Amino acid sequence: MKQTSDAGQSILIRKPVAVMTGLPGEGARAGSVDLRIENGRIAAIGPGLQAQPGERVIDASRCVVYPGWINTHHHLFQNLLKAVPDGMNEDLQGWLASVPYPRLARFTPELTRIAARLGMAELLLSGATTCADHHYLYHAGGGGETGDALFDIAEEFGMRFVLCRGGALQSAGDHPGFSKTALRPESLDTMLADLERLKARYHDAGAHAMRRVVVAPTTPTFSLPPELLRELARAARAMNLRLHTHLSETDNYVRFCRERYNRLPVEFVADHEWLGSDVWFAHLVCLEPSEIALLAQTGTGIAHCPVSNSRLGSGIAPIPQLAAAGVPISLGVDGVASNESGSMIGEAHMTWLIHRAAQGAGATTVEEVIHWGSAGGARVLGLDAVGTLEVGQAADLVLYDIDHPRFFGFHDPAVAPVAAGEPVTVRTSIVNGRVVVDDGIIPGLDIAKLRADAQRGVQQLLAGLDAAA
């Protein structure tokens, strides 16, 4: 699959039904205005823009325009682990032991590439334009897929991509299910050497970066000894790389931290220099008010993953309280082995609903959800020129086709994709000025081959488990 580059092409998006900007408050809506894209940036926004010679004109008269979603927590390799029967009714610990961990050692580089292509295709077709993948298939002696292939595949699709380079630094008596992987953890030196290599080859610190590298051990309490946590944070900051990991996903996690360290999880990571505006955590389901205050004081962010948290029965992160305190909020789909969908529209729809169910109808608005899923994601990733539809910002945006009976009768069509949820069709998606979904199709992607590869990958994983049994 190879897309042609059109990032330098001028594009005029004409007469959309509505434009949502990703900005907070009164700036969330721009109305029915045209957008001009030049050299990968938004050059003009306003009514009645006139086409220029040689400019591509996209008729958006049946579409609403959103900023591209920024997915801040994923596990792309899990796209070949959807709906594994053994884990469908398990909580997090049971699911870890029965779904991903028994299969980690069976992921070849080829299977990881197949899974990544499948995941990125699903993300693009849901309106995502940036993906931060928490990739932890690394172990001593090699055999685990590196992040290089993921960068290559993201480039094929035209997506912005952030590799959150994970891994474990201890053998894992404390990590549920890890003993079944037949993997040995890396040394700290090995992880840091690979991070240095990845940074030199891929990392772009610029505000418009298409590629980033992040330091991301799997968990701060289970996947590395506490004495290495501070060392890893200092190494990350010496390389000017951001930090990411899972935290406080379940009440069991909180209980473990209290019993082992006599600290709440956020207190524990604070003790080891893992708070700050360069840090964001996935989940944060179980928090005390004092922890929310500490996150807010330090500017530490969250990747909110409500579908996975619901699927595993983990609980509901206190997003309204976090947002009110000033904690940076973003959205992530998590791995689809605990979600069964890598759709950012699905995640946004759930975000809008679940907090209203738990805390009342005033808990969340569609405008807030769009802000969290776009500008909020850009903030936690440090992509300052991405995430909002404003003149001068990167041209990352999506046109949702609302010419479908599902959306007929809407008094406010601007909210339709989030309020109604799936199915919804991406008519056009643009990343950095390049069209990456065109008339509902990813250019150059062979869907039949993708389907066949995925089926073959699932069969290969099943055969490996049968052989082991």
Side-chain angles (χ1 to χ4, degrees):
M1 172 183 164
K2 186 68 174 178
Q3 294 192 3
T4 58
S5 176
D6 52 7
Q9 181 184 18
S10 179
I11 300 172
L12 178 62
I13 299 170
R14 294 196 65 186
K15 298 182 178 179
V17 176
V19 175
M20 302 296 277
T21 66
L23 293 166
E26 294 182 359
R29 296 166 178 256
S32 179
V33 293
D34 302 336
L35 298 95
R36 170 165 285 119
I37 297 167
E38 294 178 346
N39 298 315
R41 308 287 180 263
I42 298 174
I45 300 176
L49 298 181
Q50 298 301 307
Q52 299 173 347
E55 187 170 54
R56 177 176 177 179
V57 178
I58 296 176
D59 177 8
S61 59
R62 295 179 177 179
C63 299
V64 295
V65 180
Y66 279 28
W69 298 106
I70 297 176
N71 172 26
T72 59
H73 184 71
H74 207 349
H75 304 294
L76 284 167
F77 83 90
Q78 291 183 14
N79 276 272
L80 293 180
L81 296 176
K82 299 178 182 179
V84 175
D86 289 347
M88 286 300 291
N89 299 310
E90 296 286 346
D91 65 6
L92 176 64
Q93 288 185 309
W95 172 85
L96 285 170
S98 59
V99 180
Y101 283 112
R103 295 166 175 82
L104 289 185
R106 307 188 187 286
F107 268 86
T108 64
E110 179 191 16
L111 289 181
T112 303
R113 289 185 180 93
I114 291 169
R117 285 195 175 91
L118 180 58
M120 289 188 195
E122 186 173 6
L123 284 171
L124 275 181
L125 293 174
S126 74
T129 52
T130 298
C131 175
D133 189 59
H134 193 184
H135 186 62
Y136 52 80
L137 290 182
Y138 295 91
H139 57 86
E145 174 63 85
T146 68
D148 299 74
L150 303 183
F151 278 115
D152 290 344
I153 294 166
E155 185 175 13
E156 291 176 7
F157 280 95
M159 291 191 75
R160 293 187 195 274
F161 185 71
V162 178
L163 175 68
C164 302
R165 202 286 193 191
L169 295 177
Q170 69 178 30
S171 86
D174 289 329
H175 207 311
F178 195 85
S179 60
K180 298 182 179 181
T181 66
L183 302 179
R184 291 181 298 113
E186 297 178 298
S187 69
L188 178 64
D189 288 345
T190 299
M191 176 183 277
L192 292 179
D194 192 51
L195 282 162
E196 291 276 13
R197 180 189 67 83
L198 289 164
K199 179 191 175 184
R201 184 168 183 179
Y202 299 107
H203 185 74
D204 180 354
H208 297 88
M210 291 294 293
R211 292 174 163 183
R212 286 276 180 89
V213 176
V214 169
V215 178
T218 309
T219 61
T221 51
F222 294 131
S223 62
L224 73 167
E227 61 269 20
L228 295 184
L229 192 58
R230 185 180 292 107
E231 190 172 349
L232 194 58
R234 292 178 179 178
R237 291 184 172 115
M239 290 186 278
N240 293 313
L241 299 180
R242 301 176 91 80
L243 299 110
H244 177 60
T245 190
H246 303 91
L247 195 70
S248 299
E249 189 170 354
T250 66
D251 55 4
N252 285 333
Y253 191 105
V254 177
R255 188 177 306 112
F256 172 87
C257 209
R258 280 185 178 277
E259 293 174 354
R260 179 65 62 90
Y261 304 112
N262 195 31
R263 303 290 276 164
L264 292 167
V266 175
E267 294 172 340
F268 172 79
V269 294
D271 293 341
H272 294 83
E273 302 179 15
W274 265 77
L275 293 182
S277 60
D278 57 351
V279 182
W280 83 102
F281 295 111
H283 304 304
L284 295 177
V285 170
C286 302
L287 294 173
E288 296 291 335
S290 62
E291 293 179 287
I292 293 174
L294 192 53
L295 293 166
Q297 290 164 12
T298 57
T300 306
I302 176 177
H304 180 37
C305 307
V307 176
S308 177
N309 296 154
S310 298
R311 152 81 153 77
L312 294 172
S314 300
I316 305 171
I319 295 300
Q321 287 72 28
L322 287 162
V327 174
I329 311 293
S330 68
L331 304 183
V333 301
D334 204 3
V336 299
S338 64
N339 185 327
E340 280 67 52
S341 169
S343 167
M344 283 295 286
I345 276 292
E347 214 67 40
H349 182 59
M350 176 67 92
T351 299
W352 181 58
L353 291 178
I354 197 167
H355 302 289
R356 297 161 73 91
Q359 299 188 40
T364 48
T365 68
V366 169
E367 290 85 354
E368 285 175 322
V369 170
I370 295 170
H371 173 66
W372 295 335
S374 54
R379 179 179 176 185
V380 303
L381 297 180
L383 295 170
D384 296 339
V386 180
T388 58
L389 301 186
E390 301 174 90
V391 172
Q393 288 287 88
D396 289 20
L397 52 88
V398 57
L399 280 65
Y400 286 111
D401 190 337
I402 58 170
D403 187 25
H404 185 279
R406 182 172 183 78
F407 305 112
F408 295 172
F410 261 77
H411 289 230
D412 182 6
V415 305
V418 171
E422 295 176 300
V424 62
T425 299
V426 173
R427 168 81 66 80
T428 305
S429 185
I430 297 172
V431 181
N432 205 38
R434 171 183 173 182
V435 175
V436 295
V437 177
D438 201 353
D439 199 19
I441 296 171
I442 299 173
L445 179 63
D446 186 336
I447 293 290
K449 183 177 186 304
L450 184 66
R451 181 190 305 114
D453 286 346
Q455 292 170 340
R456 175 168 51 84
V458 169
Q459 291 304 312
Q460 188 171 329
L461 289 169
L462 288 171
L465 285 179
D466 291 342

